[in-house]
Amino acid sequence: MDRTRFSVEDDSSNLDEMPLMMSEEGFENEESDYQTLPRARLSQRRRGLCWLLLGGWKLLCGSCCDCLVRLCRRRKELKARTVWLGCPEKCEEKYSKNIIKNQKYNILTFVPGVLYQQFKFFLNLYFLVVACSQFVPSLKIGYLYTYWAPLGFVLAVTMVREAVDEVRRCRRDKDMNSQLYSKLTVRGKIQVKSSDIQVGDLIIVEKNQRIPADMVFLRTTEKTGACFIRTDQLDGETDWKLKVAVGCTQRLPAVGDLFSIKAFVFAQKPQLDIHSFEGNFTREDSDPQIQESLSIENTLWASTVVASGTVIGVVIYTGKETRSVLNTSDAKNKVGLLDLELNRLTKALFLAQVVLSIVMVALQGFVGPWFRNLFRFVVLFSYIIPISLRVNLDMGKSAYGWMIMKDESIPGTVVRTSTIPEELGRLVYLLTDKTGTLTQNEMVFKRLHLGTVSYGADTMDEIQSHIVQSYGQVCAQPQVNPQASSSAPTGTTPSGKTQTAGPRVRKSVSSRIHEAVKAIALCHNVTPVYESHVNGETESAEADQDFTDDNRTYQASSPDEVALVRWTESVGLTLVNRDLTSLQLKTPSGQILSFHILQIFPFTSESKRMGIIVREDATGEITFYMKGADVAMASIVQYNDWLEEECGNMAREGLRTLVVAKKSLSEEQYQDFESRYSQAKLSIHDRALKVAAVVESLEREMELLCLTGVEDQLQADVRPTLELLRNAGIKIWMLTGDKLETATCIAKSSHLVSRNQDIHVFRPVSNRGEAHLELNAFRRKHDCALVISGDSLEVCLRYYEHEFVELACQCPAVVCCRCSPTQKAQIVTLLQQHTANRTCAIGDGGNDVSMIQAADCGIGIEGKEGKQASLAADFSITQFRHVGRLLMVHGRNSYKRSAALGQFVMHRGMIISTMQAVFSSVFYFASVPLYQGFLMVGYATIFTMFPVFSLVLDQDVKPEMALLYPELYKDLTKGRSLSFKTFLIWVLISIYQGGILMYGALLLFESEFVHVVAISFTALILTELLMVALTVRTWHWLMVVAELFSLACYLASLAFLSEYFGTGRLSAKTLLDRSYITTWPFLWKVSAITLVSCLPLYIIKYLKRKFSPPSYSKLSS
């Protein structure tokens, strides 16, 4: 065995030469996994001139900037530290301030930062250059306000929005940093702000107060020397955690004695892992020197809350070095995929604009100052990329956000990032938390199985009567026989033989129930907590006085255990008191049974079981109780033929199973065990292995008592919502900090993994060789869900990142358990980089914030774990089931509407640029504007803005239809509503219509050249209004109002603004004759041109809908 292990480790050095096989053929040979499986690596791109032009320059610039930033913000190296109690001045080096900072900018960086975020987009930078060019007299075309007013409006709106967000963040940070805490000094207690706390300070934290920095737990007011803390904002788990004070300082007579001793804490360097800690506590002034090892149970991490008593701790890490801050990523500015696509299209339009300008100058023959003429043409055709595109899209996004918040089907939904509602319609991966998101984290005891008999929710009263009876018999031992005989007549069998056997069988079942319930009531880590009513009276004092208090609550690190203890209380056996060494139960008759706790073996993910050795005070009997997962317990308990089958049955019902067993020990057996156990715990080398070996010597031939089934209640409508998302083509990954068994169970019960689907549990791997073998084993599986732990995931990503992601993305569902907050964010980033698909993260706790901020679209749920996730998210909802409507309905509408709106605004710019090009080419390529300033501003605003913007009310599918047929969502992820193909169609339409309008006006003006502007502009406005009508799929009354209002505004302007309808510089400011616009020639010419420009498009649309209808129209019909 050892030899093979060493050979694997030796071979791992050769893995580069013989790596993973990522194609099917490699698995046809039967030889060793290593020797014959070459991996298909990512082909190394050759870095030549082509690479540089196609985007390499971006990578080079980016890496140079990153290097500069790293040089400017060089972080000091984190080191282990020695912290003297109450003496911050003794610290060897200066540590970071204890300040919480979530702001993106400060006073100096706000304006440059916001401007950079705006002008890094080509669209905005282009507008800025064009607007600045108007300050040069020789390049000026039209009026300054036509360029600067829209640009100024966009920037002002953006700055105001950013400023409001920044002020909110600043206020939140200020509130957190100015919270007051009691600091212990030689002169007594003083009040300090959270931001003034230093490493080495002794801080007092009261009950329900947030812990301000990472501390080592020194003292508590609780008699037991332990306290509970709530960690929901750190790890997402709502269960309270038990923390133990350092023994040496807890034993000191008074708080002030902390300054009379000379002691220090040695702490490891700050790390990301919130589940581990290594350190030592040393007291130097005693003889001999006292030294205690410190572990995770002696720590109080920042952002957790004290749940019981008052605690005193010494600060070891502050500010940026605390576990909570190290596990939080910086918020990034999110940009929607639609915005990036439009940015690409504007670059293509700019290229077309430059080419068109060069063609115009070339046709002029490059005469005179041709370079200046070229730039004038570029400005003249600048309407190809309309600045109103940015304004319309931003206003559209705000409108979608308002619609989402006003939707009565998803009450309480808040849109916190109004710039990315279209992302909701483009998602391919949904990464969800488990606790509080998919589940309510409320455990309910559902099933007890004793091998021959099973009890469910409806038969629990039978167990209660058995418990009352058995403890009644224990109290009155002489009356056992009369009770037995009195129950005999209830038997239905007539024969005397069966009657005498009947009670014996019943007593057997009764005693087994008695043993099973007693084992469940004893084998756990649960502590009863009594809420005090009287000020100054501590919980433990009250617990000593009154065990019948209605305010008893149970606390444990696992909600399963709380559910089991609550159940034993409901059937009559109540846990009333618990400390580090003893445990007390109350029987149905009110008698108190006391037990002395001799040893506790806590649950670990490796052992998958927990055990306890107790001595009953009344009888002196020593019993070893153990409970755990069936895989771990099957080999420990005595042979039976029912356990495996029943575990499978319960798992299929979505229940979390635990196998309970016991073993009676004699005094000699226990003393022998204890000596060996103590010796193993003191060993320096391989301590964990030796301790495990000693415990395993007890875990043999244990008596199987029962199998329990506990259900974790799912959130409302989780199953249909997950089904809906899966049918919509969204791949769902569950990322949780919970145990592997729990995560797997919830994946089944929530139907994240369908019933007939296989689950591949990725074995724990710790090195490259093991990861290699396990990945090859996983590669052979087809269409199965993957369950992997955070530790194994880290190893796989270190050596085989690309291969692992490629395999995982083929799975219908992935479950990652024991994930740290940083790992969750890392998985999101990994999917973004490797798949280039849009990701959405959804969670409800502080531990989900990093994942929510890293995803393209973050959704937070307001839940039991506070509002931290909901405040950090882009969208905040109240229930998981609202995700379905948010994506299927609002995601669809936002994307479809923005795509239509963006392309229509571009069409509006391209059509007028085509007319300008025709006009210039007819009149000897003069760089003179066709329409004067006000007409151009009016064209983009009052004349066409309302009908075009009314497209944000359009919908192709009714909400009920979108939810009934989630498969429609798959089309959205392909991005077909806005692509180079659709864009090209709009370009052709613009060129056709612009050409028809201008050439038509020039052909029909005859000798009335003065009327060419009025004819062409009127036809243009009518064409635009008709094109909006052509684009609309579902009419809304506001759309009709917008069309009529715009038409009325234009007709009024014809009457009152006649000076703008002259032919400008070409005809010496000739005015429009108002009487002409009411004559038949004007009306029929305008109607003819408009008809020719629009009718063919209506015919094409009709034919397309008849012979090649889109999928949604088939459903509607």
Side-chain angles (χ1 to χ4, degrees), residues 424-438:
L424 293 168
R426 309 290 298 275
L427 303 174
V428 177
Y429 289 96
L430 181 80
L431 300 102
T432 173
D433 177 40
K434 178 189 74 70
T435 313
T437 304
L438 296 179

Side-chain angles (χ1 to χ4, degrees), residues 279-303:
N280 287 321
F281 176 88
T282 309
R283 182 175 172 182
E284 283 190 330
D285 57 353
S286 61
D287 193 29
Q289 183 174 297
I290 298 172
Q291 197 164 13
E292 284 187 44
S293 68
L294 302 175
S295 67
I296 187 68
E297 65 178 12
N298 307 116
T299 59
L300 304 167
W301 295 145
S303 296

Side-chain angles (χ1 to χ4, degrees), residues 1024-1043:
E1024 283 300 295
L1025 297 181
L1026 286 170
M1027 284 303 290
V1028 170
L1030 179 72
T1031 309
V1032 169
R1033 286 162 291 210
T1034 309
W1035 281 91
H1036 188 282
W1037 66 269
L1038 279 171
M1039 293 175 169
V1040 180
V1041 170
E1043 292 260 335

